[in-house]
Amino acid sequence: MSLLMAVILLAACRSGSEDIPGGGNEDCYLLIYVYAPGRPIVTRVDTNLKTATEQESKIHKLQLWVFKHDTGEKVGYLEEDDVTLDASGSTFRMVISREFADNPENVDVYALANVTTANSGHSFSAGTTRTELETAKLEGNYFGVVTPIQAVPADGLPMTAVLKDKPIAGTFPALRVGTESMMETLLLTRTVSKVRFVLCREKESDPPVPSHQLKAITSITLDPSLIPSQSYLMLEEPFDNSLNPAQPLGPSRIHIVTGAHEPTSLNFGAIADPTTIPETPAPDSPEKWIYSDAVYGNRTDYSAALDQGILNGELLEFGVTYVRESDKKLTGNITYTVRSDAEGVERVTPFEMHQAGDFTRNHLWTVLVMFEGGQLKVINVVDIGITSWITGDPDEHDLYNW
């Protein structure tokens, strides 16, 4: 009878397991569900915002750890290379011991994607502890202001996810993280934010009015001491998919190290070198790029319109630059020249984000810079006005029109 039961259990381990990553056909396992919202991964907590590029969403390496919640003892580890998540998420199979399967207890689950020595300064393995994961930081040149990251690294953008104090459902040989009615989800998000500038200008009048015509953008910089010198890879708690106006800077939204901030100003791209700056486009109707609900309906359509305008040559994009998240109000300067100014004379216009903490994990910040010249214009290149597109939600701060 004992031999017969062993054969039945072994068959149960094999049944239906061949198409799930992780483990062999004869192993017994814990199922873990991993999801990247919107696939490709969105740039903020909302799944209806602008999606990431294919390079941003690619997962070159996925690492999963499960620890007992009370003791931190490791339950299992799984590593997969070149992962393609299904549109609705993917299930991974982690080999676990029979002892844990017979006596399951609540667990903490950690996920890292694309975290390597080259892009983070860290290398993690099966022997990594829960404490080491929770205390790991991005610092120095990694996604900061000393050497801005202007393209997705070859080994990908680091992404993380965490679940804490979650129950285990099921029985030997196949268990899962969650309850009998709901499987818990590891929600992958980028550990950094990104910023880009989109530029255009008004067509010249006929005859031209040279005193107000843009000549060149000579630099766009972010002021120093605004980006933290360190930020944690892992969030303090599971990533919260909701937007809570009562606690917009809760631990789910941002996880920096209290203390020093990078002292150096951030120069976006090669804009500081005027010889590399192409001429700013002058579309037929530059005002159409200012966001409005009536024209665009939602932010997804507006972002798509901006992208198309860049492809068509109606808009010029500076960026994208990837930067560590910040709890401060980001400010900076756009330096430019106009045709009437003497050679070497530059004008500077400051800009700032809506409020402190708007540059958080997985966030995209787009600044539309529009130069309007000519004597009949209320706004000209001397005062670059701001048109806020916020419609009442205090958390909607990820795009500004200047």
Side-chain angles (χ1 to χ4, degrees), residues 67-75 105-106 108 130-131:
F67 302 96
K68 293 181 180 180
H69 176 71
D70 289 338
T71 65
E73 178 186 349
K74 188 179 70 174
V75 174
E105 55 186 271
N106 282 19
D108 298 337
R130 182 175 65 178
T131 299

Side-chain angles (χ1 to χ4, degrees), residues 27 49 72 78 138-139 161 164 166-167 204 244 317 319 345 351 368 389:
D27 291 317
L49 297 187
L78 175 63
L138 280 175
E139 53 190 324
K164 292 188 177 181
K166 297 300 180 182
E204 293 186 3
N244 182 2
E317 180 181 41
V345 173
F351 61 88
L368 175 64
W389 70 294

